Amino acid sequence: MSSSLIIGQYVPGNSVIHRIDPRSKIAIIFFYVVIVFFANSVMSYGVLALFAIGASLISKVPFPYLMKGLKPVWFLVLFTFILHLIVTKQGDVLISILGWEIYREGVVQGAAISLRFFLLILVTSLLTLTTTPIEITDAIEELLGPLKKVRFPVHELALMMSISLRFIPTLMQETEKISKAQASRGVDFRTGAFKDRVRAVIPLLVPLFVSAFKRAEDLAMAMEARGYQGGEGRTKLRELTISRRDIAAYIVFAGIVTALFLTRS
Amino acid sequence: MDITFDQVSYIYQPNSPFEYRALKDLSFSIPSGSFVAVIGHTGSGKSTLIQHLNGLLKPTKGTVTLGEYQLKAKEKNKELRELREKVGVVFQYPEHQLFEETVAKDIAFGPRNFGVNEGEIDRRVNEAIQATHLDEELLERSPFDLSGGQMRRVAISGVLAMNPEVLVLDEPTAGLDPHGQKEIMEMFYDLHQKKKLTTVLVTHSMEDALAYADQVIILNKGEVYMQGSPLELFKKQKALEEVQLDVPEVIEFITKANEKLGADIEYTGQSIADLAKEMADFVRGGRDHE
Amino acid sequence: MDQSQIEFRNVSFRYQEDMPWVLRNVSFTIGADEWVAIIGHNGSGKSTIAKLMNGLLFPQEGKILVDGEEVTQDTLWEIRKRVGMVFQNPDNQFVGTTVRDDVAFGMENHGMPREVMIKRIKESLNAVGMTEFERHEPHRLSGGQKQRVAIASVLAVSPRYIILDEATAMLDPKGRKEILKTIRTVQEERELSLITITHDLQEVTQAERVIVMNGGEVWMESTPRDIFSKKDSLIEIGLDTPFVSKLADHMKDAGLELSREPLNHQELLEELWTSRSIK
């Protein structure tokens, strides 16, 4: 049923991680991405992993959801690892198979790079898993705020994002409806040659575009009737507030950064 | 085409947190050539039911039989195409499905998909626009240049051109003005009689059910709540009110009049004029007695 | 002099110069706290009237005055605060990602302080009976519920006039009843004029005054009672009368005298009861 539609990956919850201000989450993740590249010892990687895994546990997001985010990149992680095994030729030879020699450094570097990947993906999917798309939009609007001075259309961008979010379920329902109507007129979306299946998409796409344009037109008129005039002079209902939770999060993160630099070799 | 539902259940997203039983052990039958109205609130299972009529959905449990076709759980149907050709569905706001460059091409889309030859297609397109009272001059125009009412007629023509034996109508008059509503319903009724179709009308309008249907099925929470001839069903005002459905206005008024004036006028499908005369006579009669 | 009214003064409008006039020399006034229904068949120009009232369109000839002030590019901003509008399609006017965001949208546009918004969201959702849905997303609401949110969004800006442009046309009977009940209570409780543009005869009988449009002109302006007594002329311009009016007409044909045109079941039954009692 339509009521079960979930936009994005958000998993509803009420953990500390869920309730941290989205701006703080984005800022911390941004810096985390940077410092991941400073780790160079087993201990320093341990510190970073502790942070990411700890945050995941606190968020209470079920394990399968966390893994879902990793699914599309597993291959990339594995590929990088193997590439390093083959390419790097430093240190002792560990094993030699059929003339292929695997060096110690290759294993170490491959493991390090793969671990970086893993951690980066884990923390960024933790952001989308614990933050609603609209919160992310609000945070981006706030964080990009200074760009308004150079006439970057921050408000318009945020409004566009939030309206898209609002209309995704509507357009999904519409797609389903039109595809059923066309299937009833003998269109087969599932079987047949590739060429036929591509052709079958036209009766679906054209009505969908027509309706999206009609909706956009109506919506623009409704927004105008309700006094929309662009971002200037507008107030906002949604308000982001920095609380003690955020300060605690920053302190923990600062601790991690310190520990990282202490454990670097 | 005879249609039979035998103990049909349908579950959306089974074995998930969103599991939802839309139809529960639904059983009824629609004899070939009858005009059936299906009535029920949003969420009563109407749209799930419709989708079983041409195999867009298959029952989770039970069997749907349409003429010689059978839809059963976990059975693949090879003749689904044939079934869809014989059961034409006019969805709600059907004008949203138009996509071709010209009206003629859009009407021909269905029959062409079903492999009808070109000569026959032309004949059917012309027949369809006659039935829906569309002007021949519109055939070469883009469907998107037409008025809303005309677009709906084009979409309906597209379903008629498939030459279906069963016509399924999902609130075909939604969003039209009263005049347009009446025209469309008269048109479908006319077709139903001339082409001896089996017609299934999903509607909110008790008036339409009363005027056109020879059988009414009332759905509530995925189950058949009541079933019978409209005249018979609409006498049971209390039972209908329990599922928040109204009776047609004419019956509501007669009931009130009988109560207030102590009359015993019965609704047997008489016209407004006849009913008015009956009531006027009763009122005058009362005067004569005293 | 009381200035609170919407006045159309000899208004003519067409979409493009080479197209026919949609409205021709239209004049009427809608007073304070009044409920006026505008009816007419498709293409009679009734929806254009709505768009002219809050400056979504401008006339080529004539003037539109809201509370004595002409609707122009310069006065738009102020006038849109006073003239709220609810459109036909429930989905295509829902801007916010949740109910409360949508109710806030108009207030945000008018730069209202956040505390005022929070208070008014509560009040206006309460007025349309949608309080418990404050955090809901639009795809979890029915058409009728979405339209109630649209009404709440308009109310939150506290306008003097609310235009409902075929706001019930896409709803099922249950949704239609909900909306009618909602606007009736809203109109009783607040100082508001209601302008309903509609096909729904039930809606028309509840208005105080009806403007009938035909071919871009005001064809008639009167009370619903008076209008529905002119059955033959209404049919000529493609309009229908309610069941009760039809029944009453046939009763008159059958020789029964009625003292006035009945508007609802109750009134007709009273008439019949009285005639029966008279000796």
Side-chain angles (χ1 to χ4, degrees):
Chain A
M1 291 300 288
S2 54
S3 57
S4 65
L5 267 176
I6 296 172
I7 321 166
Q9 305 174 293
Y10 180 68
V11 178
N14 204 23
S15 74
V16 180
I17 307 286
H18 280 87
R19 284 180 294 158
I20 292 175
D21 188 292
R23 287 170 301 178
S24 304
K25 281 194 253 188
I26 291 176
I28 289 174
I29 284 164
F30 178 77
F31 286 110
Y32 185 89
V33 170
V34 174
I35 61 166
V36 158
F37 294 95
F38 286 94
N40 63 357
S41 68
V42 176
M43 275 296 278
S44 57
Y45 274 110
V47 168
L48 286 173
L50 185 77
F51 177 78
I53 291 164
S56 309
L57 290 177
I58 295 170
S59 75
K60 292 195 183 124
V61 173
F63 186 68
Y65 285 94
L66 288 168
M67 286 303 108
K68 232 193 219 163
L70 292 170
K71 223 178 182 176
V73 283
W74 266 125
F75 174 75
L76 200 66
V77 174
L78 202 70
F79 179 75
T80 333
F81 184 69
I82 293 171
L83 195 74
H84 273 273
L85 287 189
I86 297 167
V87 175
T88 314
K89 295 193 185 333
Q90 284 168 334
D92 312 326
V93 175
L94 288 183
I95 346 166
S96 156
I97 313 161
L98 304 167
W100 275 108
E101 289 167 336
I102 293 178
Y103 295 84
R104 186 188 183 83
E105 272 307 291
V107 176
V108 171
Q109 278 190 26
I113 303 266
S114 308
L115 187 62
R116 271 181 203 166
F117 253 122
F118 175 78
L119 292 176
L120 291 181
I121 288 151
L122 186 62
V123 288
T124 43
S125 41
L126 198 58
L127 172 73
T128 52
L129 287 166
T130 62
T131 322
T132 59
I134 190 71
E135 277 179 320
I136 296 180
T137 308
D138 285 338
I140 291 174
E141 183 177 7
E142 289 274 316
L143 292 170
L144 295 182
L147 288 180
K148 278 183 195 158
K149 291 212 176 79
V150 292
R151 299 226 177 145
F152 185 78
V154 176
H155 161 78
E156 284 73 12
L157 195 74
L159 186 75
M160 268 162 57
M161 278 172 69
S162 82
I163 287 176
S164 317
L165 289 172
R166 141 79 186 90
F167 274 93
I168 286 170
T170 311
L171 291 179
M172 279 170 72
Q173 283 168 4
E174 184 118 338
T175 312
E176 198 190 321
K177 219 193 86 185
I178 296 171
S179 72
K180 283 192 168 149
Q182 306 300 32
S184 304
R185 292 210 280 168
V187 176
D188 192 345
F189 293 105
R190 295 204 182 121
T191 54
F194 179 72
K195 201 182 74 195
D196 294 336
R197 267 194 275 176
V198 171
R199 268 232 314 267
V201 173
I202 296 170
L204 179 60
L205 281 188
V206 174
L208 201 59
F209 272 104
V210 170
S211 125
F213 275 113
K214 167 87 178 106
R215 285 183 194 282
E217 219 174 281
D218 281 4
L219 189 72
M221 170 117 55
M223 284 169 66
E224 215 185 303
R226 282 160 75 181
Y228 182 72
Q229 278 200 320
E232 217 166 300
R234 237 177 151 251
T235 45
K236 283 201 79 182
L237 172 71
R238 282 178 175 276
E239 199 176 52
L240 299 170
T241 43
I242 299 290
S243 64
R244 260 184 295 176
R245 259 192 307 279
D246 295 86
I247 296 170
Y250 284 117
I251 293 173
V252 170
F253 186 64
I256 294 289
V257 175
T258 319
L260 171 76
F261 282 96
L262 289 177
T263 53
R264 262 165 65 92
S265 57
Chain B
M1 198 186 268
D2 292 320
I3 302 171
T4 311
F5 274 56
D6 184 21
Q7 299 281 310
V8 172
S9 293
Y10 189 81
I11 303 175
Y12 284 97
Q13 305 192 23
N15 307 318
S16 85
F18 308 113
E19 181 175 304
Y20 177 76
R21 279 191 83 178
L23 299 179
K24 294 166 197 161
D25 297 326
L26 213 59
S27 295
F28 60 84
S29 60
I30 299 172
S32 184
S34 56
F35 195 122
V36 177
V38 178
I39 296 177
H41 278 300
T42 316
S44 60
K46 286 174 300 178
S47 71
T48 311
L49 187 156
I50 289 184
Q51 293 178 49
H52 280 81
L53 293 174
N54 74 343
L56 287 171
L57 293 178
K58 256 182 256 167
T60 312
K61 238 175 60 196
T63 319
V64 179
T65 314
L66 301 121
E68 52 197 279
Y69 306 97
Q70 267 206 345
L71 296 170
K72 253 187 194 163
K74 287 170 198 156
E75 251 176 50
K76 290 234 168 161
N77 292 73
K78 282 184 190 149
E79 330 83 36
L80 218 51
R81 267 176 95 83
E82 279 172 57
L83 177 64
R84 290 200 181 146
E85 189 177 0
K86 291 195 174 154
V87 180
V89 185
V90 176
F91 283 92
Q92 235 183 82
Y93 298 100
E95 58 273 23
H96 292 172
Q97 75 199 29
L98 300 177
F99 74 99
E100 281 281 16
E101 294 150 53
T102 67
V103 168
K105 277 189 189 170
D106 212 296
I107 299 175
F109 181 68
R112 197 160 283 148
N113 281 328
F114 292 117
V116 176
N117 70 55
E118 290 300 316
E120 171 69 6
I121 289 179
D122 281 348
R123 197 190 63 74
R124 287 198 195 171
V125 169
N126 282 311
E127 194 187 35
I129 59 165
Q130 261 170 29
T132 55
H133 311 295
L134 276 171
D135 199 345
E136 207 172 316
E137 280 168 25
L138 299 180
L139 280 177
E140 292 312 312
R141 296 258 295 274
S142 159
F144 301 107
D145 289 342
L146 309 183
S147 74
Q150 287 173 323
M151 281 170 83
R152 182 160 304 183
R153 283 162 196 271
V154 172
I156 291 170
S157 306
V159 175
L160 295 180
M162 288 158 44
N163 250 0
E165 290 171 28
V166 178
L167 201 51
V168 181
L169 311 170
D170 187 0
E171 290 181 48
T173 61
L176 298 178
D177 64 18
H179 196 68
Q181 290 183 6
K182 198 166 175 206
E183 272 181 12
I184 294 274
M185 281 316 300
E186 292 289 338
M187 177 199 93
F188 280 128
Y189 194 61
D190 202 37
L191 276 168
H192 169 79
Q193 289 186 314
K194 270 193 201 144
K195 303 206 124 194
K196 301 199 167 48
L197 300 173
T198 309
T199 307
V200 180
L201 167 73
V202 171
T203 182
H204 285 300
S205 163
M206 301 296 166
E207 270 68 28
D208 284 349
L210 184 61
Y212 305 109
D214 35 51
Q215 199 194 143
V216 178
I217 296 173
I218 295 176
L219 287 185
N220 186 45
K221 293 178 181 159
E223 290 172 289
V224 176
Y225 179 74
M226 282 162 104
Q227 187 180 3
S229 80
L231 280 179
E232 208 177 289
L233 273 195
F234 289 137
K235 276 182 195 149
K236 299 169 184 161
Q237 194 169 352
K238 283 241 166 58
L240 287 166
E241 273 168 6
E242 247 164 71
V243 289
Q244 289 165 38
L245 291 173
D246 297 327
V247 294
E249 195 173 0
V250 54
I251 293 178
E252 189 191 343
F253 186 78
I254 292 173
T255 312
K256 280 188 196 164
N258 285 346
E259 266 170 35
K260 176 135 182 147
L261 307 172
D264 58 351
I265 295 165
E266 202 184 336
Y267 183 69
T268 49
Q270 64 268 57
S271 69
I272 293 193
D274 289 344
L275 181 66
K277 196 166 171 300
E278 221 175 304
M279 286 197 163
D281 285 347
F282 174 79
V283 168
R284 265 196 305 259
R287 222 171 346 186
D288 294 343
H289 278 293
E290 279 164 66
Chain C
M1 190 182 108
D2 185 16
Q3 285 279 30
S4 53
Q5 57 175 37
I6 294 182
E7 192 190 343
F8 270 52
R9 215 181 266 173
N10 307 106
V11 171
S12 295
F13 176 86
R14 56 182 166 187
Y15 282 90
Q16 269 161 26
E17 243 176 60
D18 52 349
M19 278 163 92
W21 292 100
V22 180
L23 294 180
R24 267 178 298 189
N25 201 20
V26 170
S27 298
F28 61 80
T29 314
I30 289 163
D33 302 332
E34 211 188 354
W35 180 342
V36 178
I38 301 180
I39 60 172
H41 64 86
N42 287 341
S44 61
K46 55 190 193 322
S47 271
T48 308
I49 290 179
K51 286 170 191 142
L52 286 162
M53 278 184 191
N54 75 347
L56 292 168
L57 296 172
F58 292 98
Q60 280 84 12
E61 284 166 33
K63 271 184 191 176
I64 294 143
L65 300 146
V66 173
D67 302 338
E69 202 176 352
E70 191 180 345
V71 183
T72 63
Q73 286 290 355
D74 301 323
T75 56
L76 264 191
W77 181 242
E78 268 308 307
I79 280 167
R80 284 189 183 152
K81 252 193 233 181
R82 275 178 268 157
V83 185
M85 199 152 155
V86 179
F87 296 88
Q88 183 178 14
N89 191 319
D91 260 313
N92 298 359
Q93 56 185 315
F94 204 112
V95 188
T97 38
T98 67
V99 168
R100 71 194 301 261
D101 287 309
D102 193 61
V103 177
F105 182 75
M107 294 190 278
E108 292 177 324
N109 291 335
H110 293 295
M112 293 189 187
R114 190 162 181 272
E115 308 79 67
V116 177
M117 285 196 235
I118 290 168
K119 198 175 124 243
R120 292 222 184 147
I121 290 172
K122 291 246 146 50
E123 286 170 2
S124 43
L125 284 179
N126 191 31
V128 300
M130 287 291 289
T131 306
E132 56 188 307
F133 297 93
E134 193 179 331
R135 305 272 167 181
H136 276 227
E137 287 151 359
H139 63 266
R140 287 163 63 203
L141 304 178
S142 70
Q145 289 172 328
K146 279 179 214 165
Q147 289 302 67
R148 270 147 76 194
V149 174
I151 294 172
S153 312
V154 167
L155 285 179
V157 190
S158 67
R160 284 197 188 155
Y161 309 91
I162 295 188
I163 308 166
L164 291 117
D165 186 1
E166 298 191 38
T168 58
M170 288 178 76
L171 305 179
D172 61 14
K174 203 172 147 202
R176 210 167 289 171
K177 268 191 221 159
E178 278 172 22
I179 296 296
L180 267 182
K181 205 175 125 215
T182 307
I183 56 176
R184 212 179 310 129
T185 37
V186 162
Q187 210 241 352
E188 278 163 17
E189 283 167 13
R190 304 196 179 202
E191 293 188 354
L192 268 181
S193 308
L194 265 184
I195 300 136
T196 51
I197 292 167
T198 184
H199 290 306
D200 185 356
L201 298 170
Q202 198 57 39
E203 222 171 294
V204 177
T205 58
Q206 300 195 8
E208 291 156 59
R209 208 150 57 86
V210 185
I211 297 173
V212 185
M213 296 296 298
N214 186 40
E217 291 174 39
V218 176
W219 183 77
M220 195 180 183
E221 206 183 327
S222 189
T223 59
R225 200 183 297 284
D226 185 34
I227 295 217
F228 288 136
S229 68
K230 303 196 165 43
K231 184 184 158 208
D232 292 338
S233 340
L234 280 176
I235 288 173
E236 239 168 71
I237 62 163
L239 293 174
D240 206 0
T241 52
F243 169 76
V244 172
S245 297
K246 281 186 199 146
L247 195 60
D249 274 335
H250 285 298
M251 284 180 178
K252 281 184 221 154
D253 292 347
L256 201 68
E257 273 173 50
L258 301 176
S259 64
R260 59 172 188 177
E261 174 75 24
L263 272 186
N264 50 43
H265 291 186
Q266 194 57 35
E267 285 183 8
L268 180 54
L269 287 172
E270 300 277 340
E271 290 271 353
L272 295 180
W273 194 80
T274 323
S275 335
R276 189 170 159 81
S277 319
I278 297 169
K279 293 197 174 168

